[in-house]
Amino acid sequence: MAQKKKTTQNTENKPNPIQYLNAHDRAFKAALTYPKVARDLIKAHIPSFIAEQTRWVSVKPCKESFLEPRMGDRFVDALFSAQFKQGRGYFYVLCENQSKPDKLMVLRLWEYILRIIRNHLKQYGSDSDYPIVVPVLVSNHTK
């Protein structure tokens, strides 16, 4: 008689965020793991005066998450930091895939931006300069 394999259960009951992403979200998130793709997306969506001052070799993904538990399955898809050529500071670029129109998106982006700034001040001290935060919203809806 064959024995059943024991399966391990997640005793912490933490949901896996990836399971909530639809196919478009997963593809978008996967594409941004390639540095050239991420840089090209950022370059295409930020103002030229910022692009001209950016040290593109410094662009790197950030590991921090700025989501609050109340936001449920809404995810910041990718967050990148970069430094200016003059070395005067750096900025973050926030990329969020949005597949449906959302009237509250502007408020969500402001919430993300505030969390990023608070995290920066916590890491580098309240005397540090505020980072520039550029939200980039990639959307495939038609409205």
Side-chain angles (χ1 to χ4, degrees):
M1 191 171 181
Q3 290 184 345
K4 285 187 178 179
K5 278 189 175 180
K6 263 191 172 180
T7 58
T8 57
Q9 292 183 342
N10 182 355
T11 56
E12 296 177 28
N13 292 327
K14 289 184 181 177
N16 177 358
I18 300 299
Q19 73 188 14
Y20 296 109
L21 300 176
N22 65 35
H24 182 266
D25 294 334
R26 285 191 303 273
F28 183 76
K29 196 169 192 70
L32 291 177
T33 62
Y34 296 93
K36 183 177 180 351
V37 172
R39 283 192 301 269
D40 288 349
L41 177 90
I42 293 166
K43 285 178 184 179
H45 290 89
I46 64 173
S48 60
F49 71 92
I50 294 175
E52 291 165 4
Q53 295 300 313
T54 302
R55 222 182 258 186
W56 289 104
V57 296
S58 71
V59 174
K60 61 182 179 181
C62 297
K63 295 179 182 179
E64 295 87 3
S65 173
F66 298 95
L67 300 175
E68 292 180 2
R70 68 179 177 80
M71 296 193 74
D73 62 350
R74 297 178 179 177
F75 297 96
V76 174
D77 287 319
L79 184 64
F80 299 89
S81 65
Q83 294 184 350
F84 292 115
K85 287 181 181 175
Q86 305 302 319
R88 290 180 278 174
Y90 65 96
F91 66 92
Y92 287 109
V93 176
L94 174 67
C95 299
E96 166 97 13
N97 174 40
Q98 187 66 21
S99 56
K100 297 178 187 173
D102 183 355
K103 291 180 182 181
L104 299 177
M105 178 50 70
V106 172
L107 296 177
R108 287 177 55 205
L109 290 174
W110 276 108
E111 287 177 2
Y112 294 153
I113 290 167
L114 289 173
R115 277 188 233 124
I116 292 166
I117 292 171
R118 284 187 186 117
N119 185 67
H120 170 80
L121 295 175
K122 184 178 176 182
Q123 284 184 337
Y124 299 100
S126 59
D127 291 339
S128 66
D129 291 335
Y130 283 15
I132 296 170
V133 181
V134 180
V136 176
L137 179 63
V138 176
S139 175
N140 67 348
H141 63 80
T142 57
K143 289 185 181 183

